[in-house]
Amino acid sequence: GAVVSQHPSRVICKSGTSVKIECRSLDFQATTMFWYRQFPKKSLMLMATSNEGSKATYEQGVEKDKFLINHASLTLSTLTVTSAHPEDSSFYICSARPGGKGNTIYFGEGSWLTVV
Amino acid sequence: AQSVTQPDIHITVSEGASLELRCNYSYGATPYLFWYVQSPGQGLQLLLKYFSGDTLVQGIKGFEAEFKRSQSSFNLRKPSVHWSDAAEYFCAVEGNNDMRFGAGTRLTVKP
């Protein structure tokens, strides 16, 4: 079946640095990608929706300048956490959808970010 | 925007007992509904989905869900729970350009 790959699966970075998480659709073209953040034992909170070639649509309360999302190609979207702080430590999950609503949405395995 | 409510934060059932996890949604149009399962520290696995047609949907691992428009519900059921079903369960609704999740229900299975 279709696969969405996230990399890295785990990353530790120092406070104040930036870290990039990649989300790739391996065998399909992802028109739309979704980025979520999940705190321990909590639900997935939608951070932003990105459509290939367009600026991402951020959810209310998500800082655009802190969480930079780029969807430059139909198989790759990146989430860059800029000037990371310990409170940014979380589990980040991406998902990808080929086409519009109703097409199957495939989830990545998630990326654990720890900011020390 | 659409929203999903899972009223039960935590449910405990005995192995072999039946299970029902509740999900209520709010959406102005025909909802596209999903149930996912997540084991600790892992990604999401799709159990089943409903777009249209038969309101009783069969999924993997013996799960089923019933869409009831009159009640805005999409409850997940399983006739006989196995210990390996212990996990976090999420209901989700897809909009035109987003997908939102409920708060999740943690299932504990007693021996």
Side-chain angles (χ1 to χ4, degrees):
Chain A
V3 176
V4 172
S5 173
Q6 272 187 249
H7 178 80
S9 57
R10 291 181 180 272
V11 58
I12 300 173
C13 71
K14 292 185 177 181
S15 186
T17 64
S18 295
V19 60
K20 180 184 290 186
I21 300 171
E22 293 185 346
C23 179
R24 292 182 184 272
S25 57
L26 299 184
D27 53 2
F28 66 95
Q29 294 185 327
T31 308
T32 303
M33 287 187 171
F34 305 102
W35 283 96
Y36 296 88
R37 180 175 182 176
Q38 186 178 29
F39 292 101
K41 299 185 178 181
K42 297 293 184 182
S43 185
L44 285 77
M45 291 174 44
L46 181 64
M47 298 175 67
T49 301
S50 71
N51 293 296
E52 186 268 338
S54 303
K55 289 185 178 180
T57 301
Y58 288 81
E59 291 297 298
Q60 191 172 9
V62 177
E63 299 176 61
K64 301 178 183 181
D65 296 332
K66 180 165 187 62
F67 298 99
L68 300 179
I69 291 173
N70 182 282
H71 191 168
S73 79
L74 283 171
T75 59
L76 174 64
S77 177
T78 59
L79 166 66
T80 302
V81 183
T82 63
S83 187
H85 289 107
E87 56 265 33
D88 298 326
S89 299
S90 190
F91 190 50
Y92 293 88
I93 301 176
C94 76
S95 64
R97 183 178 70 188
K101 180 181 177 181
N103 285 281
T104 300
I105 297 174
Y106 302 93
F107 281 81
E109 289 299 309
S111 299
W112 285 101
L113 169 64
T114 302
V115 184
V116 297
Chain B
Q2 70 276 17
S3 65
V4 179
T5 302
Q6 292 180 247
D8 305 305
I9 296 174
H10 183 204
I11 283 182
T12 299
V13 299
S14 297
E15 190 169 14
S18 63
L19 170 71
E20 182 169 31
L21 302 182
R22 295 184 291 166
C23 171
N24 293 99
Y25 68 90
S26 173
Y27 189 57
T30 300
Y32 285 22
L33 297 161
F34 305 79
W35 274 100
Y36 287 89
V37 61
Q38 185 181 38
S39 297
Q42 303 296 315
L44 297 174
Q45 182 179 26
L46 177 66
L47 290 175
L48 48 76
K49 62 185 177 184
Y50 171 80
F51 288 176
S52 65
D54 193 348
T55 56
L56 184 62
V57 181
Q58 301 298 318
I60 62 171
K61 303 184 177 185
F63 286 93
E64 66 177 26
E66 186 170 13
F67 170 65
K68 293 185 177 180
R69 185 184 297 275
S70 62
Q71 298 177 18
S72 297
S73 69
F74 188 56
N75 294 347
L76 182 71
R77 300 194 294 249
K78 186 169 185 177
S80 177
V81 170
H82 189 262
W83 64 267
S84 60
D85 293 325
E88 189 84 21
Y89 291 80
F90 294 100
C91 183
V93 59
E94 182 182 1
N96 286 329
N97 205 34
D98 57 14
M99 186 174 191
R100 298 179 189 275
F101 287 79
T105 298
R106 183 161 59 93
L107 174 65
T108 298
V109 180
K110 294 190 302 183

